[in-house]
Amino acid sequence: MRTATHAKWVACAAAAALAATACGGGGDGGGTDGGAVLSSSWGDPQNPLEPANTNEVQGGKVLDMIFRGLKRYDPETGEARDMLAEKIETTDSRTFTITVKDGWTFSNGEKVTAQSFVDAWNYGASLKNNQRNAYFFAYIEGYDKVHPEQGRQSADTLSGLKVTGERTFTVRLTQKFSTFPDTLGYNAYVPLPRAFFDDHDAWLAKPVGNGPYTVRSYTRGSQMSLRAREDYPGPDKARNGGVDLKVYTDNNTAYTDLMAGNLDLVDDVPAAQLRNVRGDLGDRYLNTPAGILQTLAFPYYDRAWGKDGMDKVRRGLSMAIDREQITETIFHKTRTPATDWTSPVLGEDGGYRAGLCGDACAYKPEEARRLIREGGGLPGGQVKITYNADTGSHKEWVDAVCNSVNNALGNDRACVGNPVGTFADFRKQITDRKMSGPFRAGWQMDYPLIQNFLQPLYYTNASSNDGKWSSAQFDERVDEANAETDTAKAVEKFQRAEEVVRDEMAAIPLWYQNGSAGYSERLSNVKLNPFSVPVYDQITVG
Amino acid sequence: MGRYVARRLLQMIPVFIGATLLIFLMVNVMGDPVAGLCGDRQCDPATAAQLRREFGLDKPVWEQYLTYMGNVFTGDFGTAFNGQPVTELMGSAFPVTIRLTIVAVLFEIVIGITLGVLTGLRRGRPVDTSVLLVTLVVISVPTFVTGLLLQLLLGVEWGWIRPSVSPEARFGELIVPGLVLASVSLAYVTRLTRTSLAENKRSDYVRTATAKGLPRHRVVTRHLLRNSLIPVVTFIGTDVGALMGGAIVTERIFNIHGVGYQLYQGILRQNTQTVVGFVTVLVLVFLLANLLVDLLYAVLDPRIRYA
């Protein structure tokens, strides 16, 4: 009898524990009746959680839930739509007058005004605040004073920003930039409440925003509980009661937890599970295109790679890579062979053009051999593909690419992988211009614009032009495209610039990356946006 | 005794300085951490310079080390890259790992010594042989295999436990991870106890005690076990440090946000402050555990005395 009661007691305790987790800790739910709370896997954000300081997916995920900016990218099409912006007007593509919609508030009750934006942008641009995304404000006049390349800043605010009314402000850029309004959906441009500036530490401990969710509790490094905001004024009110983001040390554990029914959503299916994920989850596995392109970049500062005729060698290398086979065997179709230098998420209208790369991106071993011979052969007789070995299972695909190249060229030593221990060291070698051959380059778009796939990567001395490629013709065409006021024409001009990248094979496009996610039976309406982040506010539970 | 302890504590100072210096240099050699902070894109030079200045990375290494040690003595372990003070990270990580270590050590003591006594007293019998076989298997199978298998079986297939540990990491949740963590050491403890016991069983004082007509359990616990435990205590003592620092694999599998996880993150992000801070504390734990072991000798065997 005694054992029986004991067992009963344990069962009760377990049930109580389960119930407690199901309602997310129970207690003061803030009176939301939007439904149950779901749990989702999360990674520890690398930087302090400030809008202009967050440059990776994990922190961006949270900002996307607690903030809304002037624009918002449509979760399906990636199109930039007005959110807080009532209108953004310009006559010369250089000075923009922005009107903020009425009736928006932060979750602490404060009104969202033009000042909330201007203060936030000034904070983000200012050198002394160490914001990793400060360069997003580089187009605004006065950036060179607030964020000089060297020395101290000589101004605290951007001269190009002016508040002209409670709900209006003007932005003056240093150059024509017709698609500027479409960039305003990026997280760095969200408004900030006074609380952010008045008590910064308190804000970091529990961020306050103007989005459909509020932060209920935040234990750094382990969990953040977000709850649906009842007085949210926007049209995209959360369809669930809230989200508990749980930090996982390993995405394999998150997947195991999903299988055991302790977790509702995993937005990064581990590579090791891709083979059985269809069987495990069936329809509850998502594999949708994201704005991520993997390429091989080249060190143009290295004389061997910068000399004439090397474009033939680069094209030859590109043709020696069997993209179809690698994406199928190694990535289990979570990546698609690339045929241009943008991403399918842009859509035809946005500038994606399938097949732009043409034969140069097709597997043609014989032609590859011929081109490389004509171009003067591989520098030093061998290419070394440099990558970081600590994350992202890069070793597998680099080895596969090398195998493919070796097979095509009929030479066992034509291509080898060159692993670097940590990501930081890898980045350091790139910034120090120490690369001696092709290296792994991944580009995750900041906003779904063709401009974002070209200008930061290939424009002379651009922020992410790691290979230091430079082409006067390309620069000229990008400038032209930026000056074009008509969006469709601007996109066309960007594509003309992309043709220069293609003709010179500035970087070898490898594959477009998909976002992957798996979820439990409790959830429905789960979707990934073009940034491969789940659209949390649309998920329904139960 | 007091003088012995004082001398030992003084000896810790050079060990402490040497160990921290080594770690500091090793982490520094790995390269520039600021380069990795901006993701797949170059930090703009002004921000990078500012960050370097803020973390003191623009100074020569010896100066960085001196400033760091100076700060450590005032209890300031610096700031991690995500803006959190390292002491705060320690405050959340160490309690979890200490709980995990306690569970593991308890397993070692209770199961390991019990099995050791059982087998040591019945050498050559079926019990002995089967336990020896089992320990051999446990020692030869890597921890991550045992961990993942147990997680899959108990957590997913049978649903007895949750596959991952919650951030609070209560004792109850740590039983399985603790067992996994302890498994290899547990097998060693069993074997050590067994051998040591079997050896001492034939010694004169045990024969005398038996001849005096003492009850068997008293002979075993008071006379035999007490002397046989000296090597076992040494092993468990040094193992405490090893368990705390070496829990990375177990912590990763069961999603435990402890010392191993923080160290792993610190190394990946090349965060000198985090890595050196945590290792410093681990060195201290190791040294203190060793001191404790030495002091325990005197309790176990009065012949071993420290003047």
Side-chain angles (χ1 to χ4, degrees):
Chain A
M1 212 50 234
R2 209 175 142 194
T3 21
T5 29
H6 190 70
K8 211 158 135 199
W9 183 84
V10 170
C12 282
L18 277 175
T21 36
C23 46
D28 55 333
T32 44
D33 53 356
V37 172
L38 65 121
S39 56
S40 173
S41 68
W42 194 33
D44 194 17
Q46 190 176 6
N47 302 322
L49 205 59
E50 300 165 289
N53 208 5
T54 298
N55 53 5
E56 35 75 58
V57 183
Q58 303 305 339
K61 204 184 273 183
V62 174
L63 294 178
D64 198 46
M65 295 168 83
I66 61 172
F67 276 109
R68 284 294 178 264
L70 289 165
K71 294 256 185 183
R72 179 165 171 77
Y73 301 115
D74 188 291
E76 302 245 343
T77 61
E79 192 191 335
R81 292 176 194 280
D82 284 345
M83 191 47 122
L84 263 73
E86 194 168 290
K87 53 182 189 271
I88 302 176
E89 291 169 320
T90 182
T91 48
D92 58 355
S93 289
R94 206 176 148 188
T95 309
F96 295 85
T97 309
I98 299 171
T99 312
V100 182
K101 271 184 196 154
D102 201 11
W104 278 81
T105 53
F106 292 100
S107 60
N108 62 3
E110 196 187 317
K111 272 189 91 164
V112 183
T113 61
Q115 194 70 47
S116 321
F117 283 96
V118 171
D119 287 348
W121 294 9
N122 279 326
Y123 181 88
S126 176
L127 175 58
K128 64 168 187 270
N129 297 326
N130 282 338
Q131 304 287 292
R132 267 74 151 181
N133 284 344
Y135 60 89
F136 272 94
F137 305 99
Y139 296 106
I140 301 173
E141 256 187 15
Y143 181 76
D144 51 340
K145 299 251 167 41
V146 175
H147 199 114
E149 298 245 334
Q150 272 168 351
R152 292 184 163 279
Q153 60 190 92
S154 54
D156 279 335
T157 51
L158 292 160
S159 58
L161 291 179
K162 285 207 175 60
V163 178
T164 51
E166 202 199 23
R167 293 194 287 122
T168 52
F169 66 107
T170 58
V171 186
R172 186 164 169 75
L173 307 181
T174 51
Q175 59 173 77
K176 290 190 173 194
F177 185 5
S178 55
T179 45
F180 174 72
D182 288 349
T183 67
L184 296 175
Y186 189 70
N187 281 331
Y189 295 111
V190 297
L192 285 169
R194 282 311 311 167
F196 178 86
F197 305 98
D198 295 341
D199 190 348
H200 194 227
D201 288 340
W203 192 92
L204 282 182
K206 200 176 171 184
V208 172
N210 63 334
Y213 290 96
T214 57
V215 177
R216 166 133 53 108
S217 67
Y218 179 22
T219 317
R220 281 217 240 185
S222 49
Q223 182 164 334
M224 180 183 266
S225 295
L226 296 130
R227 290 297 172 266
R229 203 179 133 196
E230 202 147 84
D231 59 341
Y232 176 63
D236 51 345
K237 225 169 147 68
R239 295 211 252 158
N240 47 53
V243 180
D244 284 336
L245 296 174
K246 296 179 173 177
V247 173
Y248 277 88
T249 49
D250 188 344
N251 58 0
N252 280 297
T253 314
Y255 189 81
T256 313
D257 249 0
L258 175 71
M259 298 314 297
N262 292 322
L263 188 71
D264 292 320
L265 177 62
V266 170
D267 63 354
D268 175 25
V269 176
Q273 304 288 354
L274 285 175
R275 206 172 319 162
N276 25 21
V277 68
R278 284 256 173 238
D280 286 348
L281 295 169
D283 288 344
R284 290 179 283 114
Y285 165 61
L286 293 178
N287 180 18
T288 51
I292 306 169
L293 176 71
Q294 296 269 353
T295 59
L296 284 183
F298 293 91
Y300 291 97
Y301 42 79
D302 186 310
R303 197 167 297 164
W305 285 101
K307 70 178 186 228
D308 283 346
M310 287 311 281
D311 57 318
K312 278 195 175 166
V313 176
R314 292 194 294 272
R315 183 164 303 114
L317 276 176
S318 173
M319 292 170 111
I321 300 169
D322 192 347
R323 295 172 177 74
E324 290 285 345
Q325 202 199 359
I326 295 171
T327 49
E328 204 169 314
T329 51
I330 294 195
F331 296 119
H332 298 276
K333 298 200 169 156
T334 56
R335 298 188 190 187
T336 317
T339 56
D340 80 339
W341 282 260
T342 66
S343 161
V345 298
L346 294 180
E348 291 281 327
D349 294 339
Y352 167 66
R353 205 198 292 167
L356 182 83
C357 182
D359 272 358
C361 288
Y363 180 58
K364 301 215 156 140
E366 308 221 330
E367 203 151 333
R369 221 174 311 157
R370 183 179 61 81
L371 276 170
I372 289 177
R373 198 172 43 233
E374 274 176 27
L378 300 171
Q382 190 180 48
V383 280
K384 276 188 180 168
I385 301 180
T386 309
Y387 61 96
N388 58 309
D390 55 348
T391 51
S393 51
H394 296 305
K395 183 183 161 43
E396 283 87 350
W397 69 258
V398 169
D399 286 349
V401 164
C402 272
N403 262 330
S404 178
V405 170
N406 290 344
N407 285 340
L409 301 186
N411 174 0
D412 273 357
R413 302 187 28 81
C415 176
V416 287
N418 175 32
V420 174
T422 60
F423 179 68
D425 197 14
F426 175 66
R427 286 302 310 171
K428 171 155 176 67
Q429 292 189 20
I430 289 174
T431 9
D432 290 354
R433 305 190 176 193
K434 290 244 176 72
M435 290 292 149
S436 57
F439 54 94
R440 166 191 96 74
W443 182 251
Q444 167 139 32
M445 65 175 187
D446 301 311
Y447 31 79
L449 289 180
I450 182 171
Q451 180 264 350
N452 193 238
F453 279 94
L454 298 174
Q455 194 169 354
L457 290 160
Y458 308 110
Y459 199 84
T460 305
N461 286 325
S463 59
S464 293
N465 189 345
D466 288 333
K468 302 292 161 203
W469 186 70
S470 174
S471 154
Q473 199 185 13
F474 175 83
D475 293 358
E476 201 178 292
R477 289 185 184 182
V478 166
D479 290 341
E480 258 177 51
N482 274 327
E484 177 61 56
T485 42
D486 183 75
T487 319
K489 278 189 193 147
V491 166
E492 223 167 88
K493 288 191 170 162
F494 273 118
Q495 282 179 329
R496 298 224 313 127
E498 191 184 342
E499 282 164 14
V500 181
V501 174
R502 172 194 63 187
D503 294 342
E504 302 218 1
M505 194 52 91
I508 297 180
L510 294 172
W511 30 75
Y512 312 115
Q513 192 169 321
N514 286 1
S516 65
Y519 55 95
S520 70
E521 277 158 0
R522 292 176 68 214
L523 306 189
S524 38
N525 293 319
V526 183
K527 264 179 246 142
L528 292 175
N529 69 12
F531 303 91
S532 76
V533 170
V535 188
Y536 286 104
D537 50 71
Q538 293 186 4
I539 297 174
T540 48
V541 186
Chain B
M1 191 74 162
R3 267 181 62 192
Y4 173 76
V5 175
R7 208 168 63 217
R8 284 291 302 267
L9 285 174
L10 280 177
Q11 278 171 0
M12 282 185 192
I13 296 171
V15 177
F16 179 72
I17 292 175
T20 45
L21 181 64
L22 261 178
I23 291 294
F24 202 88
L25 290 176
M26 272 151 71
V27 180
N28 257 286
V29 164
M30 294 202 308
D32 179 10
V34 172
L37 273 185
C38 292
D40 261 322
R41 117 171 51 220
Q42 197 178 329
C43 284
D44 75 282
T47 310
Q50 173 105 348
L51 284 170
R52 255 182 223 114
R53 198 157 47 238
E54 201 156 280
F55 292 118
L57 295 166
D58 52 342
K59 308 239 171 61
V61 178
W62 62 268
E63 205 182 320
Q64 284 182 43
Y65 179 71
L66 286 185
T67 333
Y68 181 81
M69 287 315 278
N71 287 339
V72 164
F73 280 112
T74 60
D76 175 13
F77 281 86
T79 314
F81 289 153
N82 69 354
Q84 238 177 325
V86 174
T87 41
E88 214 178 290
L89 290 178
M90 288 178 179
S92 66
F94 270 102
V96 173
T97 299
I98 288 172
R99 276 201 292 277
L100 182 65
T101 313
I102 290 174
V103 173
V105 169
L106 279 180
F107 270 121
E108 281 180 27
I109 294 175
V110 175
I111 301 184
I113 295 183
T114 314
L115 285 180
V117 171
L118 274 179
T119 51
L121 292 178
R122 292 182 176 74
R123 274 219 308 170
R125 307 267 189 83
V127 187
D128 182 33
T129 327
S130 44
V131 170
L132 270 185
L133 247 167
V134 171
T135 53
L136 189 72
V137 170
V138 170
I139 290 171
S140 52
V141 176
T143 324
F144 72 89
V145 176
T146 352
L148 283 173
L149 270 178
L150 281 182
Q151 184 188 40
L152 212 66
L153 286 178
L154 302 179
V156 182
E157 293 295 319
W158 302 333
W160 292 0
I161 57 159
R162 293 175 65 113
S164 69
V165 172
S166 70
E168 295 84 36
R170 295 177 206 89
F171 271 112
E173 298 173 280
L174 292 174
I175 290 175
V176 177
L179 185 62
V180 171
L181 181 61
S183 59
V184 174
S185 305
L186 196 155
Y188 281 122
V189 169
T190 306
R191 293 188 150 212
L192 241 127
T193 318
R194 171 185 176 271
T195 321
S196 172
L197 213 69
E199 218 166 79
N200 286 334
K201 222 170 98 180
R202 285 190 295 267
S203 56
D204 295 343
Y205 67 88
V206 175
R207 216 172 340 147
T208 316
T210 322
K212 273 199 299 192
L214 286 178
R216 187 175 153 82
H217 73 266
R218 200 173 160 80
V219 176
V220 171
T221 49
R222 280 300 156 90
H223 296 80
L224 183 52
L225 198 55
R226 196 165 153 174
N227 269 304
S228 310
L229 278 185
I230 288 179
V232 181
V233 165
T234 315
F235 178 79
I236 295 180
T238 46
D239 207 39
V240 169
L243 287 178
M244 286 188 83
I248 294 186
V249 176
T250 320
E251 292 194 355
R252 243 182 106 86
I253 294 175
F254 292 99
N255 197 35
I256 301 168
H257 299 262
V259 172
Y261 168 63
Q262 294 295 351
L263 266 177
Y264 178 75
Q265 288 269 343
I267 289 169
L268 268 194
R269 294 175 182 175
Q270 290 201 5
N271 200 328
T272 323
Q273 317 275 345
T274 319
V275 178
V276 181
F278 274 84
V279 173
T280 305
V281 176
L282 283 178
V283 168
L284 281 178
V285 169
F286 216 92
L287 290 174
L288 286 176
N290 267 315
L291 177 62
L292 207 70
V293 166
D294 286 354
L295 295 180
L296 263 180
Y297 285 164
V299 179
L300 287 171
D301 186 348
R303 282 174 306 178
I304 309 176
R305 285 265 173 78
Y306 304 107

